[in-house]
Amino acid sequence: MKGNKFVSMLVVLSMLVLALTSCAPQVVKETVVVKETVVVEKVVEKKVINFWTSDNEENRVKVYEAVAAAYMAQNPDIDLRILPIEEAGISQRIATAVAANRMPDIVRMGIERVAAFAADGILDEDAAVATIKSIGEDDFRAGPLAMVTNPATGKYSAIPYDGWIQAIWYRADVFESLGLEAPTSWESISKACATLPGNADLLYGITLGTDPGQNYGMQIFEQVAISNDAWPFDSAGNVTMDTPEMIAALEWYASLQEYAMPGPQYWRGARESYELGQSAMLFYSTYIMDDLVDGSGMEGGGNVELVMQDLAANTGFAPTMAGPNGAASYGQLVTFGIMQGASPEAQDVVKFFITEGYQDVLALAPFGKVPVLKSAVDGWMGSSEYFANYPPETLAAIAAGYDTMQRWLFRPDYDATRRAVVGDIEGRLLIPTVLSNIAIEKTMTPAEGAAFLQEQVEQLLADRM
């Protein structure tokens, strides 16, 4: 019986263990295969193009960067970098880059830099020629192409891009009512100056640059001088500031002061006198076009109250001046230079900026960015609402102003030293000083002024030799 009890107890215990075991959590081992995602970064090598621009204001840089982004979207293998620089510091920056062997590919610069850089051999003229031909040589205005042509090589040193034109802006309505010819020659300007005062409430015929501390007078006088074939140096490099042509230019300029706003004056007085209806003519760049609609800003705040609401529509534009020995207009040309050692793709970048991206850049400052391409003129004319205030013939004349635009700096047979001296003449205000002495202070005759200029420029040249 004891044996049976023992067996019975074992059976009970077994059943109890089984029951407890069935109530315990079950541990299930499961092998889970996790697939790892492997990310492989594709390395794309891009060609870096460094583009220095003297259009360095923030809003302008943003537009250049937007055009660059549009180019890179079409050319994903290019990394186009826009680097703003100061215009005045370009020569020093380039010298530093040359020394460090880290030249940019493209540089936006004024025409006055081109000849010196070409003489130094740092501009890729073959690239410039190829770029111009790819855009369409016939589409460029002849004047800008002539300005970038290197007389030593016969090649283009840079690619013309944009610029501004200086002109005599004049009361076309008054000229018409008095039967006066447009002021496009020494003779017609003199006649208008003598006739206009006292008519249509005008006090003066014109306002001249006569302030010895401002370069406004030099900007005007250069055009006067060139229209009489008067230059600071001859083709052999000799100083020619006292020639009969130079003396005659000084004499004629000073003769206009009899009918001009009393001096000393510079661009601000000239602009306000015209806008207020006091004088009938002024010399100014195309930057004045919006001022003739809204009135220019005054130093003390606010805007000039225009003499008439439609002053712009009644204003004529005379960019070319004919003198006894020639004709000239005055202005500025901005270029793109492709530097030696630049990537071949730089040519395509420049082409993009002057074709697909051109109107975007011109619209930044349409009055000071006159297109150099004939095909771009219509788009440029529609880039600002202010243009609607001017007749089509005025806009066409502005676009064509490059064809006769000249500066002492542009003369192709001047070497880098002579061009530097021209810069010194401007920097030292020699011309405004002499104009003031002749026309306002009357302490010099035109011949004495020319003799003074001859002596000063000879010394400037000697200092640089």
Side-chain angles (χ1 to χ4, degrees):
M1 292 295 295
K2 289 181 180 179
N4 290 338
K5 287 181 180 181
F6 180 72
V7 172
S8 297
M9 289 177 66
L10 287 175
V11 172
V12 171
L13 288 171
S14 297
M15 293 177 66
L16 181 60
V17 170
L18 181 62
L20 290 173
T21 303
S22 64
C23 293
Q26 301 297 304
V27 178
V28 179
K29 291 182 179 181
E30 182 179 358
T31 301
V32 179
V33 179
V34 179
K35 295 183 179 179
E36 295 183 0
T37 301
V38 179
V39 178
V40 178
E41 294 186 3
K42 185 179 180 181
V43 179
V44 178
E45 292 187 6
K46 292 190 175 185
K47 181 71 68 68
V48 175
I49 306 292
N50 289 310
F51 186 162
W52 290 6
T53 175
S54 52
D55 250 349
N56 56 10
E57 294 89 344
E58 183 178 359
N59 65 314
R60 299 188 180 194
V61 173
K62 287 181 178 178
V63 171
Y64 274 76
E65 289 176 338
V67 175
Y71 179 81
M72 289 186 287
Q74 297 181 21
N75 300 272
D77 57 331
I78 299 295
D79 181 4
L80 178 54
R81 301 177 182 179
I82 304 298
L83 305 170
I85 60 173
E86 293 289 338
E87 173 75 30
I90 287 179
S91 295
Q92 182 59 46
R93 289 284 298 268
I94 288 293
T96 301
V98 170
N101 196 27
R102 296 179 63 86
M103 287 283 282
D105 297 276
I106 305 164
V107 179
R108 179 191 188 273
M109 55 188 165
I111 184 64
E112 62 270 16
R113 316 276 179 182
V114 172
F117 288 167
D120 292 338
I122 59 176
L123 291 175
D124 189 337
E125 294 188 338
D126 290 333
V129 170
T131 303
I132 288 171
K133 288 185 179 298
S134 70
I135 295 165
E137 197 169 6
D138 291 342
D139 198 12
F140 283 86
R141 291 277 181 184
L145 286 181
M147 282 182 253
V148 298
T149 299
N150 185 344
T153 63
K155 298 178 180 179
Y156 301 126
S157 295
I159 301 93
Y161 194 68
D162 61 39
W164 50 262
I165 310 298
Q166 176 176 280
I168 293 181
W169 302 82
Y170 64 98
R171 286 286 298 275
D173 57 329
V174 180
F175 271 68
E176 183 178 357
S177 68
L178 296 176
L180 292 170
E181 295 180 5
T184 57
S185 67
W186 285 23
E187 182 180 3
S188 59
I189 294 168
S190 293
K191 183 177 180 180
C193 280
T195 304
L196 287 161
N199 287 290
D201 296 324
L202 293 165
L203 299 175
Y204 318 110
I206 198 168
T207 302
L208 295 174
T210 52
D211 188 331
Q214 298 281 341
N215 257 320
Y216 179 63
M218 179 161 180
Q219 292 179 5
I220 301 172
F221 182 74
E222 269 197 50
Q223 185 176 2
V224 171
I226 295 171
S227 72
N228 198 36
D229 199 25
W231 299 83
F233 306 98
D234 61 20
S235 58
N238 301 306
V239 178
T240 52
M241 297 298 290
D242 63 350
T243 62
E245 291 80 10
M246 189 71 72
I247 294 171
L250 290 168
E251 184 175 16
W252 181 75
Y253 187 102
S255 73
L256 301 181
Q257 184 57 39
E258 179 181 353
Y259 313 103
M261 186 177 181
Q265 296 293 337
Y266 67 107
W267 58 264
R268 185 177 292 279
R271 186 177 66 184
E272 292 184 3
S273 177
Y274 183 81
E275 292 174 358
L276 292 170
Q278 297 172 348
S279 61
M281 294 181 283
L282 82 159
F283 286 86
Y284 216 93
S285 77
T286 44
Y287 272 107
I288 201 174
M289 296 179 76
D290 56 339
D291 293 329
L292 298 182
V293 177
D294 296 334
S296 60
M298 296 185 293
E299 286 185 295
N303 284 17
V304 173
E305 186 173 346
L306 299 177
V307 65
M308 59 172 61
Q309 186 175 1
D310 54 351
L311 179 59
N314 285 288
T315 294
F317 175 79
T320 302
M321 179 188 296
N325 291 293
S329 64
Y330 180 97
Q332 172 67 324
L333 176 68
V334 174
T335 70
F336 285 169
I338 299 177
M339 314 309 286
Q340 282 290 356
S343 297
E345 291 81 1
Q347 298 177 37
D348 194 49
V349 170
V350 170
K351 180 180 179 180
F352 188 87
F353 265 80
I354 202 169
T355 52
E356 293 185 52
Y358 200 27
Q359 294 296 339
D360 292 332
V361 176
L362 296 180
L364 283 169
F367 316 119
K369 291 183 176 295
V370 180
V372 297
L373 296 183
K374 301 168 192 173
S375 62
V377 171
D378 287 343
W380 167 75
M381 287 183 179
S383 64
S384 171
E385 59 184 15
Y386 288 98
F387 285 152
N389 295 281
Y390 294 89
E393 55 267 26
T394 293
L395 300 182
I398 291 171
Y402 288 120
D403 294 341
T404 56
M405 190 176 81
Q406 291 177 289
R407 295 260 296 274
W408 281 349
L409 270 173
F410 296 169
R411 183 157 160 164
D413 53 356
Y414 287 175
D415 60 17
T417 300
R418 268 76 184 171
R419 291 172 190 264
V421 172
V422 172
D424 292 338
I425 294 171
E426 182 171 353
R428 298 190 183 213
L429 300 170
L430 294 182
I431 297 296
T433 297
V434 167
L435 294 175
S436 175
N437 288 340
I438 297 172
I440 304 299
E441 301 298 332
K442 301 190 183 302
T443 57
M444 285 182 176
T445 65
E448 290 169 342
F452 171 80
L453 290 171
Q454 180 76 14
E455 179 184 355
Q456 294 294 311
V457 175
E458 284 179 349
Q459 186 59 56
L460 292 174
L461 181 60
D463 291 344
R464 287 191 170 273
M465 296 299 284

